[in-house]
Amino acid sequence: MEKKPHFVRREFLPREVPSISLALLLAAVLLLNALLYLYLNKFYSSLGRVETDPGLCPFGHFKFGAVKNCSPWLSCEAINREVRKLKCVGEGAVKKVFLSEWKEKKVVLSQLTNSELKEDFLHGLKMLKALQSKHVVRLLGYCEQQFTILTEYHPLGSLRGLNETLHIPKYKGMNTWHRRLMLAIDYVSVIRYLHSSPLGTLVMCDSNDLDKVLSQYLLTSDFHVLVNDLDALPLVNRSAGRLVKCGHRELRGEFVAPEQRWPYGEDVPFEDDLMPPYDEKTDIWKIPDVSNFFLGHVEGSDIVRLHLFDIHAACKKKDPAERPSAQEVLDTYRKVLTLLIQEAAMPGTREML
């Protein structure tokens, strides 16, 4: 009987090995995608800082730290009796801010400094009470009669100190494109919340330059962004024909939106009565500049900027009606983050397949 040649069995081996490798690679990709999905799902649930967080207390109450039970906002009497000022840590046009102590916890006490601006102070308090959420600094108490507000203390301070914080050895590990983009997403989440708040569409008016914007927000110890100053937050109501103007003085510079600048040229003196009002799209115009600050100049930040180029160009449309909504910007930021995490997790996957 004629024997079969030995090479017949061996000729299948070169085909079988790549098939096994490809199957293992596909399995690894599927596993990675599943893990990535779980991570992003958990990430967005916290990053979005949704308003309906079950950890929030009922209106008029607060809790913070490891405390499980909600307490009522502190009254005038409780603030005067239980809160002790430690030192002044800041002063603006409207109020002076003191690092203080309540029941061995650090808190922030804000007091009106200019009686002519008491309406601004009370408006800020009204907004703070009505907008309590994961996006807004936690209110602990207030005293309208004494023009005093008590809020939670965040030791990392305002966003103006972000770059300095990220150079502290303890936080250097946070100084990555990934973490910086997450902060930008947090910021846009706040803008989206204000534009669709329980009170209606609110415009962040204390935002005439980058430094002013950054001073309105706090950086939490777990690296999230909270809006802190709500003194200048007018309401847009299109159905009632109600637009806004951010103050009564002329605004200049490229940071503010075109519609916020005096439209009649240098030859016509500025008059507040002649200045046309505008809507919340002024906030959209400023997003690229604020995000550029967030992204900084770390490795990978230029790649992020490249992916955000189109949405940022849309934010800078001269016609406010052509700019995207805050929700559209937020959706794009999240998509870019997901894409870049996938590419970082499996570099060269497409070429391998």
Side-chain angles (χ1 to χ4, degrees), residues 7-8 34 100 102 111 131 148 172 194 234 268 293 302 313 321 327:
F7 65 82
V8 173
S100 304
W102 174 71
Q111 291 184 315
L131 299 176
T148 299
K172 278 189 175 181
L194 294 178
V268 180
F293 167 80
D302 287 341
Q327 184 65 61

Side-chain angles (χ1 to χ4, degrees), residues 16-31:
E16 290 173 358
V17 172
S19 298
I20 295 172
S21 299
L22 183 59
L24 290 174
L25 178 60
L26 287 172
V29 170
L30 290 173
L31 177 61

Side-chain angles (χ1 to χ4, degrees), residues 36 64 85 102 109 112 142 147 168 178 186 195 198 201 211 255 264 275 278 287 293:
L36 186 62
F64 69 103
K85 291 181 184 176
W102 174 71
L109 188 73
L112 178 68
Y142 64 92
F147 297 99
I168 297 172
H178 174 249
D186 253 1
H195 288 185
T201 302
D211 191 65
F255 188 82
Y264 303 117
M275 180 66 198
Y278 33 83
I287 286 176
F293 167 80

Side-chain angles (χ1 to χ4, degrees), residues 26-43:
L26 287 172
V29 170
L30 290 173
L31 177 61
L32 179 65
N33 283 337
L35 293 173
L36 186 62
Y37 172 81
L38 293 173
Y39 165 76
L40 290 173
N41 187 54
K42 181 180 179 181
F43 165 71

